[in-house]
Amino acid sequence: EDLLSKRDFIYSKDEEPHAKRNREILKAHPEIKELMRPEWRTKYLVAGTVALQIFMAWLTLEWSWLPYMMAVYVVGATANHSLFLAIHELSHNLGSST
């Protein structure tokens, strides 16, 4: 069991790469610090995206397979990717200023 716990994850004594890269970028381009702030539109974009997904679920109820799969691939995948990006931004507390 102890052997398994040592193999199930990569352990490193190196510095965390995101923090290091963040420092390097800010040193080279201090002007981008202005872009590192909460985005007030996030909640509206997320609500709109979820509404789009619910609407598409209703709209495509009677569609044949080919148009349905095309809609799933284009609209559904784009909406899901957008929501994953929103989740990422929210994990950095960039969804709102409060």
Side-chain angles (χ1 to χ4, degrees):
E1 185 177 332
D2 188 41
L3 180 62
L4 179 62
S5 66
K6 293 192 185 290
R7 290 190 334 214
D8 67 347
F9 195 79
I10 297 172
Y11 295 92
S12 174
K13 294 186 184 206
D14 295 339
E15 183 179 8
E16 196 273 312
H18 291 94
K20 181 181 177 187
R21 180 131 171 86
N22 186 21
R23 283 194 304 274
E24 291 171 355
I25 290 171
L26 286 174
K27 185 176 179 182
H29 304 282
E31 67 275 9
I32 67 165
K33 186 78 169 172
E34 297 170 21
L35 301 173
M36 302 168 110
R37 64 181 189 275
E39 175 56 60
W40 64 271
R41 295 178 199 94
T42 301
K43 59 184 164 269
Y44 302 112
L45 293 170
V46 168
T49 304
V50 172
L52 171 68
Q53 288 184 311
I54 293 169
F55 171 74
M56 288 300 294
W58 170 80
L59 181 69
T60 61
L61 278 172
E62 301 295 325
W63 287 16
S64 62
W65 275 101
L66 184 60
Y68 176 77
M69 292 306 286
M70 290 171 63
V72 166
Y73 184 78
V74 175
V75 179
T78 302
N80 277 342
H81 183 69
S82 174
L83 291 175
F84 276 114
L85 291 174
I87 290 167
H88 178 84
E89 292 302 307
L90 293 169
S91 73
H92 290 291
N93 295 320
L94 296 174
S96 67
S97 59
T98 58

